[in-house]
Amino acid sequence: MKQNVRNTAVEVLLKIEQNQAYSNLLLNQSIQKANLSQKDVGLLTELVYGTVQRKNTLDYLLGPFVSKGLKKLEKWVLVLLRMSLYQMVYLDKIPDHAIINEAVEIAKKRGHKGISGMVNGVLRRIQREGTADLSEVTHDEERLALQYSMPEWLVQRWITQYGLDNAEKMCAANMEPAPVTGRVNSMRSSREKVLQSLHDEGIEGSNGGLSPDAIKLKKGSLSHSSSFKEGYVTIQDESSMLVARALNPSSNEKILDACAAPGGKTTHIAELLNNTGEVTALDLHPHKVKLIQEQAERLGLTNIKTEALDSRKAGEKFSVSSFDRILVDAPCSGFGVIRKKPDIKWSKKEEDIHRIAEIQMQILDKVAELLKPGGTLLYSTCTVDKEENDEIADAFLKHHSDFEWDKSFNERLPEPLQPYLKPAEAQVQILPHYFNSDGFYLACFKKKTTTGGETQC
């Protein structure tokens, strides 16, 4: 059975390597297709995520043992060696001889005797001689890139933007497993009641530390619980839960969620409206719009209206000043969620950041006119890059003199966030090591109200 798990892991890793495919989607497809036991699902997940997460470090350690160089290896051989070395270096419970024997068997089935001999030779030499000592790397960028398996250009960027100490903490946080957190549907229940219901099912949790809607799981599966299936709770990261409360919706308001899928923040806004008013949820892709509809149905929400539409064309669909509040949870590089989606750090390039930032600015520019005077515009991303966050917020205010920072924003954020706020601004950057949450950014703007030549806010 373990042989099958490792074969499956090699197949998934190969697809990720060849197609730049998302590891979480491929892994879920493979788990369903292979019909694995829970124990083997755990091992497969560990092998795939661990190998992808540590790719840079594994290649550095493998390099001296492959005489013709890693670039000349067939892709499947390279991922097999990476996966085997990952087990030898980072997992304690599997003996080296078992790892090597299984790697050789996979190599025999996929290749030929020569390749299996090479795989055997490389891994046995590593077993005898050991791997390089990463602490001997003294250059800061290279050391962090190897110690925490990050692209060196991204490490350099984080050091420039946040300093060496914060950059190292960010890298370290990305290597930690992410906690499972859920958002209680306040329209239907309370945290205490949901925690009790979960306890009755053998699932243990506690109150979250950042959002008043959050619970944090200690034991069990939230997605398989009755509370989840019956719409009392939604799986969502705590920092992401801050968005809807920061937007501050009031009963019967019309709200636009301009980049809504898969709908976590849309449904949270709808819950806070207590099923009054209307949330218009847009997304570019019809199949993602369907996900929002499914979530709304599960949670018993009838005040959500969905549409497949590029939010940059929202002005062609909606009139000027149509909405009381607008959320732009913009497409971004995703560098705040690397620990959940480790392939992000390998699939993105520095030039992608510039391209994404242009799209973010275009979206804000187009939806700004749809907001009523006096209305609130919240901009958020799940990244930590200043070019997509602070710089976009500053550029928006510079080009839209009818907007200003929302002065009440800071008051709506929970006490743990207060040390990270600036009194004169309405923006906050949450780094992943602050609260053991996703890295996240929020900025809030108010549209000015002009009366008799004077501007009131």
Side-chain angles (χ1 to χ4, degrees), residues 348-384:
K348 293 284 193 308
K349 297 180 174 61
E350 193 161 17
E351 52 266 33
D352 292 331
I353 296 173
H354 312 320
R355 179 181 55 80
I356 292 168
E358 288 178 6
I359 295 171
Q360 293 163 340
M361 199 66 231
Q362 290 167 5
I363 294 172
L364 282 172
D365 282 341
K366 293 297 181 184
V367 303
E369 66 177 14
L370 305 181
L371 187 65
K372 292 178 181 176
T376 303
L377 170 60
L378 188 76
Y379 174 71
S380 64
T381 73
C382 61
T383 193
V384 294

PDB file of all heavy atoms in Angstrom, residues 348-384:
ATOM      1  N   LYS A 348       5.242  31.754  -9.148  1.00  0.00           N
ATOM      2  CA  LYS A 348       5.210  33.206  -9.376  1.00  0.00           C
ATOM      3  C   LYS A 348       6.612  33.759  -9.635  1.00  0.00           C
ATOM      4  O   LYS A 348       7.593  33.307  -9.039  1.00  0.00           O
ATOM      5  CB  LYS A 348       4.606  33.922  -8.159  1.00  0.00           C
ATOM      6  CG  LYS A 348       3.126  33.625  -7.938  1.00  0.00           C
ATOM      7  CD  LYS A 348       2.270  34.382  -8.910  1.00  0.00           C
ATOM      8  CE  LYS A 348       0.789  34.361  -8.539  1.00  0.00           C
ATOM      9  NZ  LYS A 348       0.200  33.063  -8.281  1.00  0.00           N
ATOM     10  N   LYS A 349       6.683  34.761 -10.502  1.00  0.00           N
ATOM     11  CA  LYS A 349       7.934  35.459 -10.780  1.00  0.00           C
ATOM     12  C   LYS A 349       7.780  36.935 -10.391  1.00  0.00           C
ATOM     13  O   LYS A 349       6.659  37.431 -10.260  1.00  0.00           O
ATOM     14  CB  LYS A 349       8.296  35.332 -12.266  1.00  0.00           C
ATOM     15  CG  LYS A 349       8.554  33.902 -12.718  1.00  0.00           C
ATOM     16  CD  LYS A 349       8.912  33.856 -14.195  1.00  0.00           C
ATOM     17  CE  LYS A 349       9.317  32.446 -14.624  1.00  0.00           C
ATOM     18  NZ  LYS A 349       8.220  31.476 -14.416  1.00  0.00           N
ATOM     19  N   GLU A 350       8.909  37.609 -10.255  1.00  0.00           N
ATOM     20  CA  GLU A 350       8.860  38.994  -9.793  1.00  0.00           C
ATOM     21  C   GLU A 350       8.046  39.874 -10.745  1.00  0.00           C
ATOM     22  O   GLU A 350       7.307  40.760 -10.313  1.00  0.00           O
ATOM     23  CB  GLU A 350      10.284  39.551  -9.630  1.00  0.00           C
ATOM     24  CG  GLU A 350      10.322  40.859  -8.865  1.00  0.00           C
ATOM     25  CD  GLU A 350      11.698  41.170  -8.316  1.00  0.00           C
ATOM     26  OE1 GLU A 350      12.674  40.553  -8.789  1.00  0.00           O
ATOM     27  OE2 GLU A 350      11.792  42.029  -7.416  1.00  0.00           O
ATOM     28  N   GLU A 351       8.157  39.594 -12.052  1.00  0.00           N
ATOM     29  CA  GLU A 351       7.406  40.422 -13.013  1.00  0.00           C
ATOM     30  C   GLU A 351       5.893  40.215 -12.882  1.00  0.00           C
ATOM     31  O   GLU A 351       5.105  41.082 -13.276  1.00  0.00           O
ATOM     32  CB  GLU A 351       7.854  40.147 -14.461  1.00  0.00           C
ATOM     33  CG  GLU A 351       7.851  38.697 -14.877  1.00  0.00           C
ATOM     34  CD  GLU A 351       9.217  38.037 -14.694  1.00  0.00           C
ATOM     35  OE1 GLU A 351       9.927  38.418 -13.747  1.00  0.00           O
ATOM     36  OE2 GLU A 351       9.555  37.142 -15.489  1.00  0.00           O
ATOM     37  N   ASP A 352       5.483  39.060 -12.326  1.00  0.00           N
ATOM     38  CA  ASP A 352       4.048  38.825 -12.103  1.00  0.00           C
ATOM     39  C   ASP A 352       3.471  39.857 -11.135  1.00  0.00           C
ATOM     40  O   ASP A 352       2.309  40.246 -11.245  1.00  0.00           O
ATOM     41  CB  ASP A 352       3.814  37.413 -11.541  1.00  0.00           C
ATOM     42  CG  ASP A 352       4.132  36.324 -12.548  1.00  0.00           C
ATOM     43  OD1 ASP A 352       3.999  36.588 -13.751  1.00  0.00           O
ATOM     44  OD2 ASP A 352       4.519  35.218 -12.129  1.00  0.00           O
ATOM     45  N   ILE A 353       4.278  40.267 -10.160  1.00  0.00           N
ATOM     46  CA  ILE A 353       3.807  41.239  -9.165  1.00  0.00           C
ATOM     47  C   ILE A 353       3.439  42.555  -9.850  1.00  0.00           C
ATOM     48  O   ILE A 353       2.392  43.141  -9.551  1.00  0.00           O
ATOM     49  CB  ILE A 353       4.882  41.467  -8.084  1.00  0.00           C
ATOM     50  CG1 ILE A 353       5.113  40.169  -7.306  1.00  0.00           C
ATOM     51  CG2 ILE A 353       4.473  42.597  -7.135  1.00  0.00           C
ATOM     52  CD1 ILE A 353       6.278  40.237  -6.331  1.00  0.00           C
ATOM     53  N   HIS A 354       4.292  43.001 -10.769  1.00  0.00           N
ATOM     54  CA  HIS A 354       4.004  44.263 -11.469  1.00  0.00           C
ATOM     55  C   HIS A 354       2.707  44.140 -12.287  1.00  0.00           C
ATOM     56  O   HIS A 354       1.876  45.049 -12.313  1.00  0.00           O
ATOM     57  CB  HIS A 354       5.154  44.614 -12.412  1.00  0.00           C
ATOM     58  CG  HIS A 354       6.514  44.512 -11.783  1.00  0.00           C
ATOM     59  ND1 HIS A 354       6.762  44.929 -10.492  1.00  0.00           N
ATOM     60  CD2 HIS A 354       7.699  44.022 -12.251  1.00  0.00           C
ATOM     61  CE1 HIS A 354       8.041  44.718 -10.198  1.00  0.00           C
ATOM     62  NE2 HIS A 354       8.623  44.169 -11.245  1.00  0.00           N
ATOM     63  N   ARG A 355       2.540  43.001 -12.957  1.00  0.00           N
ATOM     64  CA  ARG A 355       1.347  42.792 -13.798  1.00  0.00           C
ATOM     65  C   ARG A 355       0.085  42.748 -12.929  1.00  0.00           C
ATOM     66  O   ARG A 355      -0.934  43.371 -13.263  1.00  0.00           O
ATOM     67  CB  ARG A 355       1.503  41.460 -14.567  1.00  0.00           C
ATOM     68  CG  ARG A 355       0.327  41.118 -15.465  1.00  0.00           C
ATOM     69  CD  ARG A 355       0.576  39.777 -16.155  1.00  0.00           C
ATOM     70  NE  ARG A 355       0.870  38.705 -15.219  1.00  0.00           N
ATOM     71  CZ  ARG A 355      -0.083  38.055 -14.537  1.00  0.00           C
ATOM     72  NH1 ARG A 355      -1.343  38.381 -14.667  1.00  0.00           N
ATOM     73  NH2 ARG A 355       0.252  37.090 -13.705  1.00  0.00           N
ATOM     74  N   ILE A 356       0.155  42.032 -11.799  1.00  0.00           N
ATOM     75  CA  ILE A 356      -1.012  41.920 -10.916  1.00  0.00           C
ATOM     76  C   ILE A 356      -1.368  43.280 -10.317  1.00  0.00           C
ATOM     77  O   ILE A 356      -2.545  43.644 -10.202  1.00  0.00           O
ATOM     78  CB  ILE A 356      -0.723  40.886  -9.795  1.00  0.00           C
ATOM     79  CG1 ILE A 356      -0.612  39.478 -10.389  1.00  0.00           C
ATOM     80  CG2 ILE A 356      -1.826  40.921  -8.737  1.00  0.00           C
ATOM     81  CD1 ILE A 356      -0.057  38.450  -9.423  1.00  0.00           C
ATOM     82  N   ALA A 357      -0.345  44.052  -9.955  1.00  0.00           N
ATOM     83  CA  ALA A 357      -0.596  45.375  -9.355  1.00  0.00           C
ATOM     84  C   ALA A 357      -1.350  46.281 -10.336  1.00  0.00           C
ATOM     85  O   ALA A 357      -2.229  47.059  -9.931  1.00  0.00           O
ATOM     86  CB  ALA A 357       0.729  46.013  -8.937  1.00  0.00           C
ATOM     87  N   GLU A 358      -1.042  46.164 -11.614  1.00  0.00           N
ATOM     88  CA  GLU A 358      -1.759  46.962 -12.617  1.00  0.00           C
ATOM     89  C   GLU A 358      -3.236  46.574 -12.660  1.00  0.00           C
ATOM     90  O   GLU A 358      -4.124  47.436 -12.752  1.00  0.00           O
ATOM     91  CB  GLU A 358      -1.121  46.741 -13.998  1.00  0.00           C
ATOM     92  CG  GLU A 358       0.245  47.396 -14.145  1.00  0.00           C
ATOM     93  CD  GLU A 358       0.876  47.109 -15.504  1.00  0.00           C
ATOM     94  OE1 GLU A 358       0.196  46.504 -16.357  1.00  0.00           O
ATOM     95  OE2 GLU A 358       2.047  47.473 -15.692  1.00  0.00           O
ATOM     96  N   ILE A 359      -3.515  45.272 -12.576  1.00  0.00           N
ATOM     97  CA  ILE A 359      -4.911  44.799 -12.581  1.00  0.00           C
ATOM     98  C   ILE A 359      -5.642  45.294 -11.332  1.00  0.00           C
ATOM     99  O   ILE A 359      -6.795  45.733 -11.393  1.00  0.00           O
ATOM    100  CB  ILE A 359      -4.949  43.261 -12.668  1.00  0.00           C
ATOM    101  CG1 ILE A 359      -4.379  42.793 -14.007  1.00  0.00           C
ATOM    102  CG2 ILE A 359      -6.378  42.738 -12.469  1.00  0.00           C
ATOM    103  CD1 ILE A 359      -4.174  41.295 -14.108  1.00  0.00           C
ATOM    104  N   GLN A 360      -4.964  45.215 -10.184  1.00  0.00           N
ATOM    105  CA  GLN A 360      -5.575  45.681  -8.930  1.00  0.00           C
ATOM    106  C   GLN A 360      -5.989  47.149  -9.042  1.00  0.00           C
ATOM    107  O   GLN A 360      -7.094  47.536  -8.633  1.00  0.00           O
ATOM    108  CB  GLN A 360      -4.569  45.484  -7.780  1.00  0.00           C
ATOM    109  CG  GLN A 360      -4.293  44.019  -7.476  1.00  0.00           C
ATOM    110  CD  GLN A 360      -3.034  43.818  -6.649  1.00  0.00           C
ATOM    111  OE1 GLN A 360      -2.171  44.690  -6.593  1.00  0.00           O
ATOM    112  NE2 GLN A 360      -2.918  42.667  -6.012  1.00  0.00           N
ATOM    113  N   MET A 361      -5.107  47.954  -9.616  1.00  0.00           N
ATOM    114  CA  MET A 361      -5.398  49.385  -9.753  1.00  0.00           C
ATOM    115  C   MET A 361      -6.556  49.615 -10.722  1.00  0.00           C
ATOM    116  O   MET A 361      -7.424  50.471 -10.489  1.00  0.00           O
ATOM    117  CB  MET A 361      -4.136  50.096 -10.249  1.00  0.00           C
ATOM    118  CG  MET A 361      -4.118  51.576 -10.012  1.00  0.00           C
ATOM    119  SD  MET A 361      -4.054  51.992  -8.268  1.00  0.00           S
ATOM    120  CE  MET A 361      -5.401  53.133  -8.167  1.00  0.00           C
ATOM    121  N   GLN A 362      -6.586  48.826 -11.808  1.00  0.00           N
ATOM    122  CA  GLN A 362      -7.681  48.955 -12.783  1.00  0.00           C
ATOM    123  C   GLN A 362      -9.032  48.646 -12.137  1.00  0.00           C
ATOM    124  O   GLN A 362     -10.024  49.329 -12.381  1.00  0.00           O
ATOM    125  CB  GLN A 362      -7.438  47.997 -13.958  1.00  0.00           C
ATOM    126  CG  GLN A 362      -6.276  48.398 -14.862  1.00  0.00           C
ATOM    127  CD  GLN A 362      -5.871  47.290 -15.819  1.00  0.00           C
ATOM    128  OE1 GLN A 362      -6.512  46.237 -15.886  1.00  0.00           O
ATOM    129  NE2 GLN A 362      -4.806  47.504 -16.558  1.00  0.00           N
ATOM    130  N   ILE A 363      -9.064  47.614 -11.296  1.00  0.00           N
ATOM    131  CA  ILE A 363     -10.327  47.239 -10.636  1.00  0.00           C
ATOM    132  C   ILE A 363     -10.797  48.369  -9.720  1.00  0.00           C
ATOM    133  O   ILE A 363     -11.965  48.780  -9.747  1.00  0.00           O
ATOM    134  CB  ILE A 363     -10.154  45.921  -9.843  1.00  0.00           C
ATOM    135  CG1 ILE A 363      -9.895  44.764 -10.798  1.00  0.00           C
ATOM    136  CG2 ILE A 363     -11.403  45.646  -8.989  1.00  0.00           C
ATOM    137  CD1 ILE A 363      -9.512  43.462 -10.109  1.00  0.00           C
ATOM    138  N   LEU A 364      -9.882  48.873  -8.895  1.00  0.00           N
ATOM    139  CA  LEU A 364     -10.254  49.967  -7.980  1.00  0.00           C
ATOM    140  C   LEU A 364     -10.753  51.182  -8.752  1.00  0.00           C
ATOM    141  O   LEU A 364     -11.757  51.807  -8.379  1.00  0.00           O
ATOM    142  CB  LEU A 364      -9.058  50.337  -7.109  1.00  0.00           C
ATOM    143  CG  LEU A 364      -8.755  49.401  -5.936  1.00  0.00           C
ATOM    144  CD1 LEU A 364      -7.431  49.769  -5.287  1.00  0.00           C
ATOM    145  CD2 LEU A 364      -9.874  49.436  -4.900  1.00  0.00           C
ATOM    146  N   ASP A 365     -10.043  51.519  -9.832  1.00  0.00           N
ATOM    147  CA  ASP A 365     -10.445  52.678 -10.642  1.00  0.00           C
ATOM    148  C   ASP A 365     -11.865  52.528 -11.167  1.00  0.00           C
ATOM    149  O   ASP A 365     -12.654  53.481 -11.160  1.00  0.00           O
ATOM    150  CB  ASP A 365      -9.479  52.843 -11.828  1.00  0.00           C
ATOM    151  CG  ASP A 365      -8.166  53.485 -11.415  1.00  0.00           C
ATOM    152  OD1 ASP A 365      -8.128  54.109 -10.345  1.00  0.00           O
ATOM    153  OD2 ASP A 365      -7.178  53.345 -12.167  1.00  0.00           O
ATOM    154  N   LYS A 366     -12.203  51.318 -11.639  1.00  0.00           N
ATOM    155  CA  LYS A 366     -13.498  51.106 -12.291  1.00  0.00           C
ATOM    156  C   LYS A 366     -14.663  51.053 -11.303  1.00  0.00           C
ATOM    157  O   LYS A 366     -15.777  51.469 -11.625  1.00  0.00           O
ATOM    158  CB  LYS A 366     -13.455  49.812 -13.110  1.00  0.00           C
ATOM    159  CG  LYS A 366     -12.512  49.875 -14.308  1.00  0.00           C
ATOM    160  CD  LYS A 366     -12.970  50.946 -15.304  1.00  0.00           C
ATOM    161  CE  LYS A 366     -12.051  50.994 -16.514  1.00  0.00           C
ATOM    162  NZ  LYS A 366     -12.441  52.089 -17.444  1.00  0.00           N
ATOM    163  N   VAL A 367     -14.433  50.481 -10.107  1.00  0.00           N
ATOM    164  CA  VAL A 367     -15.568  50.339  -9.174  1.00  0.00           C
ATOM    165  C   VAL A 367     -15.778  51.602  -8.338  1.00  0.00           C
ATOM    166  O   VAL A 367     -16.844  51.762  -7.734  1.00  0.00           O
ATOM    167  CB  VAL A 367     -15.403  49.117  -8.235  1.00  0.00           C
ATOM    168  CG1 VAL A 367     -15.241  47.837  -9.046  1.00  0.00           C
ATOM    169  CG2 VAL A 367     -14.254  49.305  -7.251  1.00  0.00           C
ATOM    170  N   ALA A 368     -14.792  52.491  -8.306  1.00  0.00           N
ATOM    171  CA  ALA A 368     -14.886  53.668  -7.428  1.00  0.00           C
ATOM    172  C   ALA A 368     -16.137  54.489  -7.718  1.00  0.00           C
ATOM    173  O   ALA A 368     -16.802  54.994  -6.805  1.00  0.00           O
ATOM    174  CB  ALA A 368     -13.625  54.527  -7.584  1.00  0.00           C
ATOM    175  N   GLU A 369     -16.494  54.637  -8.998  1.00  0.00           N
ATOM    176  CA  GLU A 369     -17.645  55.474  -9.357  1.00  0.00           C
ATOM    177  C   GLU A 369     -18.981  54.819  -8.975  1.00  0.00           C
ATOM    178  O   GLU A 369     -20.013  55.473  -8.943  1.00  0.00           O
ATOM    179  CB  GLU A 369     -17.635  55.764 -10.865  1.00  0.00           C
ATOM    180  CG  GLU A 369     -17.856  54.533 -11.740  1.00  0.00           C
ATOM    181  CD  GLU A 369     -17.915  54.892 -13.226  1.00  0.00           C
ATOM    182  OE1 GLU A 369     -17.519  56.016 -13.554  1.00  0.00           O
ATOM    183  OE2 GLU A 369     -18.356  54.048 -14.008  1.00  0.00           O
ATOM    184  N   LEU A 370     -18.954  53.510  -8.692  1.00  0.00           N
ATOM    185  CA  LEU A 370     -20.193  52.801  -8.341  1.00  0.00           C
ATOM    186  C   LEU A 370     -20.584  53.002  -6.885  1.00  0.00           C
ATOM    187  O   LEU A 370     -21.664  52.580  -6.458  1.00  0.00           O
ATOM    188  CB  LEU A 370     -20.044  51.300  -8.630  1.00  0.00           C
ATOM    189  CG  LEU A 370     -19.641  50.922 -10.054  1.00  0.00           C
ATOM    190  CD1 LEU A 370     -19.565  49.406 -10.198  1.00  0.00           C
ATOM    191  CD2 LEU A 370     -20.638  51.507 -11.061  1.00  0.00           C
ATOM    192  N   LEU A 371     -19.703  53.631  -6.107  1.00  0.00           N
ATOM    193  CA  LEU A 371     -19.958  53.822  -4.677  1.00  0.00           C
ATOM    194  C   LEU A 371     -20.698  55.138  -4.437  1.00  0.00           C
ATOM    195  O   LEU A 371     -20.370  56.168  -5.025  1.00  0.00           O
ATOM    196  CB  LEU A 371     -18.622  53.834  -3.922  1.00  0.00           C
ATOM    197  CG  LEU A 371     -18.688  53.856  -2.396  1.00  0.00           C
ATOM    198  CD1 LEU A 371     -19.311  52.578  -1.853  1.00  0.00           C
ATOM    199  CD2 LEU A 371     -17.278  54.056  -1.813  1.00  0.00           C
ATOM    200  N   LYS A 372     -21.677  55.099  -3.548  1.00  0.00           N
ATOM    201  CA  LYS A 372     -22.414  56.316  -3.186  1.00  0.00           C
ATOM    202  C   LYS A 372     -21.508  57.275  -2.415  1.00  0.00           C
ATOM    203  O   LYS A 372     -20.615  56.829  -1.689  1.00  0.00           O
ATOM    204  CB  LYS A 372     -23.607  55.960  -2.293  1.00  0.00           C
ATOM    205  CG  LYS A 372     -24.705  55.169  -2.969  1.00  0.00           C
ATOM    206  CD  LYS A 372     -25.807  54.835  -1.967  1.00  0.00           C
ATOM    207  CE  LYS A 372     -26.902  54.009  -2.634  1.00  0.00           C
ATOM    208  NZ  LYS A 372     -27.931  53.589  -1.654  1.00  0.00           N
ATOM    209  N   PRO A 373     -21.720  58.584  -2.521  1.00  0.00           N
ATOM    210  CA  PRO A 373     -20.997  59.522  -1.652  1.00  0.00           C
ATOM    211  C   PRO A 373     -21.233  59.149  -0.183  1.00  0.00           C
ATOM    212  O   PRO A 373     -22.351  58.826   0.219  1.00  0.00           O
ATOM    213  CB  PRO A 373     -21.634  60.871  -1.989  1.00  0.00           C
ATOM    214  CG  PRO A 373     -22.144  60.696  -3.394  1.00  0.00           C
ATOM    215  CD  PRO A 373     -22.604  59.268  -3.477  1.00  0.00           C
ATOM    216  N   GLY A 374     -20.171  59.153   0.589  1.00  0.00           N
ATOM    217  CA  GLY A 374     -20.279  58.745   1.993  1.00  0.00           C
ATOM    218  C   GLY A 374     -20.092  57.260   2.187  1.00  0.00           C
ATOM    219  O   GLY A 374     -20.021  56.770   3.320  1.00  0.00           O
ATOM    220  N   GLY A 375     -20.008  56.512   1.078  1.00  0.00           N
ATOM    221  CA  GLY A 375     -19.877  55.063   1.167  1.00  0.00           C
ATOM    222  C   GLY A 375     -18.461  54.604   1.491  1.00  0.00           C
ATOM    223  O   GLY A 375     -17.506  55.381   1.450  1.00  0.00           O
ATOM    224  N   THR A 376     -18.341  53.319   1.802  1.00  0.00           N
ATOM    225  CA  THR A 376     -17.061  52.732   2.215  1.00  0.00           C
ATOM    226  C   THR A 376     -16.534  51.794   1.144  1.00  0.00           C
ATOM    227  O   THR A 376     -17.277  50.957   0.623  1.00  0.00           O
ATOM    228  CB  THR A 376     -17.249  51.928   3.526  1.00  0.00           C
ATOM    229  OG1 THR A 376     -17.784  52.795   4.517  1.00  0.00           O
ATOM    230  CG2 THR A 376     -15.936  51.345   4.007  1.00  0.00           C
ATOM    231  N   LEU A 377     -15.238  51.931   0.835  1.00  0.00           N
ATOM    232  CA  LEU A 377     -14.572  51.039  -0.107  1.00  0.00           C
ATOM    233  C   LEU A 377     -13.448  50.333   0.636  1.00  0.00           C
ATOM    234  O   LEU A 377     -12.525  50.974   1.146  1.00  0.00           O
ATOM    235  CB  LEU A 377     -13.999  51.834  -1.292  1.00  0.00           C
ATOM    236  CG  LEU A 377     -13.071  51.086  -2.254  1.00  0.00           C
ATOM    237  CD1 LEU A 377     -13.779  49.902  -2.896  1.00  0.00           C
ATOM    238  CD2 LEU A 377     -12.544  52.036  -3.343  1.00  0.00           C
ATOM    239  N   LEU A 378     -13.537  49.004   0.727  1.00  0.00           N
ATOM    240  CA  LEU A 378     -12.499  48.226   1.409  1.00  0.00           C
ATOM    241  C   LEU A 378     -11.685  47.468   0.373  1.00  0.00           C
ATOM    242  O   LEU A 378     -12.245  46.765  -0.471  1.00  0.00           O
ATOM    243  CB  LEU A 378     -13.123  47.241   2.408  1.00  0.00           C
ATOM    244  CG  LEU A 378     -12.094  46.534   3.290  1.00  0.00           C
ATOM    245  CD1 LEU A 378     -11.596  47.468   4.376  1.00  0.00           C
ATOM    246  CD2 LEU A 378     -12.679  45.292   3.929  1.00  0.00           C
ATOM    247  N   TYR A 379     -10.361  47.606   0.463  1.00  0.00           N
ATOM    248  CA  TYR A 379      -9.440  46.902  -0.441  1.00  0.00           C
ATOM    249  C   TYR A 379      -8.643  45.891   0.378  1.00  0.00           C
ATOM    250  O   TYR A 379      -8.104  46.226   1.439  1.00  0.00           O
ATOM    251  CB  TYR A 379      -8.488  47.919  -1.086  1.00  0.00           C
ATOM    252  CG  TYR A 379      -7.406  47.310  -1.932  1.00  0.00           C
ATOM    253  CD1 TYR A 379      -7.685  46.711  -3.153  1.00  0.00           C
ATOM    254  CD2 TYR A 379      -6.070  47.315  -1.504  1.00  0.00           C
ATOM    255  CE1 TYR A 379      -6.685  46.150  -3.934  1.00  0.00           C
ATOM    256  CE2 TYR A 379      -5.063  46.767  -2.282  1.00  0.00           C
ATOM    257  CZ  TYR A 379      -5.382  46.189  -3.498  1.00  0.00           C
ATOM    258  OH  TYR A 379      -4.394  45.624  -4.263  1.00  0.00           O
ATOM    259  N   SER A 380      -8.601  44.646  -0.075  1.00  0.00           N
ATOM    260  CA  SER A 380      -7.857  43.634   0.676  1.00  0.00           C
ATOM    261  C   SER A 380      -7.153  42.678  -0.274  1.00  0.00           C
ATOM    262  O   SER A 380      -7.567  42.492  -1.424  1.00  0.00           O
ATOM    263  CB  SER A 380      -8.798  42.852   1.612  1.00  0.00           C
ATOM    264  OG  SER A 380      -9.759  42.120   0.871  1.00  0.00           O
ATOM    265  N   THR A 381      -6.068  42.067   0.226  1.00  0.00           N
ATOM    266  CA  THR A 381      -5.357  41.019  -0.512  1.00  0.00           C
ATOM    267  C   THR A 381      -4.834  39.988   0.483  1.00  0.00           C
ATOM    268  O   THR A 381      -4.711  40.275   1.686  1.00  0.00           O
ATOM    269  CB  THR A 381      -4.137  41.565  -1.282  1.00  0.00           C
ATOM    270  OG1 THR A 381      -3.097  41.878  -0.341  1.00  0.00           O
ATOM    271  CG2 THR A 381      -4.463  42.795  -2.115  1.00  0.00           C
ATOM    272  N   CYS A 382      -4.499  38.814  -0.021  1.00  0.00           N
ATOM    273  CA  CYS A 382      -3.858  37.810   0.838  1.00  0.00           C
ATOM    274  C   CYS A 382      -2.373  37.730   0.491  1.00  0.00           C
ATOM    275  O   CYS A 382      -1.807  36.646   0.403  1.00  0.00           O
ATOM    276  CB  CYS A 382      -4.529  36.446   0.723  1.00  0.00           C
ATOM    277  SG  CYS A 382      -4.478  35.722  -0.938  1.00  0.00           S
ATOM    278  N   THR A 383      -1.759  38.887   0.310  1.00  0.00           N
ATOM    279  CA  THR A 383      -0.327  38.908   0.043  1.00  0.00           C
ATOM    280  C   THR A 383       0.361  39.860   1.016  1.00  0.00           C
ATOM    281  O   THR A 383      -0.299  40.605   1.756  1.00  0.00           O
ATOM    282  CB  THR A 383      -0.019  39.306  -1.411  1.00  0.00           C
ATOM    283  OG1 THR A 383       1.357  39.012  -1.702  1.00  0.00           O
ATOM    284  CG2 THR A 383      -0.295  40.784  -1.663  1.00  0.00           C
ATOM    285  N   VAL A 384       1.689  39.846   0.995  1.00  0.00           N
ATOM    286  CA  VAL A 384       2.462  40.687   1.908  1.00  0.00           C
ATOM    287  C   VAL A 384       3.348  41.654   1.139  1.00  0.00           C
ATOM    288  O   VAL A 384       4.189  42.329   1.743  1.00  0.00           O
ATOM    289  CB  VAL A 384       3.344  39.805   2.834  1.00  0.00           C
ATOM    290  CG1 VAL A 384       2.478  38.965   3.762  1.00  0.00           C
ATOM    291  CG2 VAL A 384       4.283  38.906   2.024  1.00  0.00           C
TER     292      VAL A 384
END
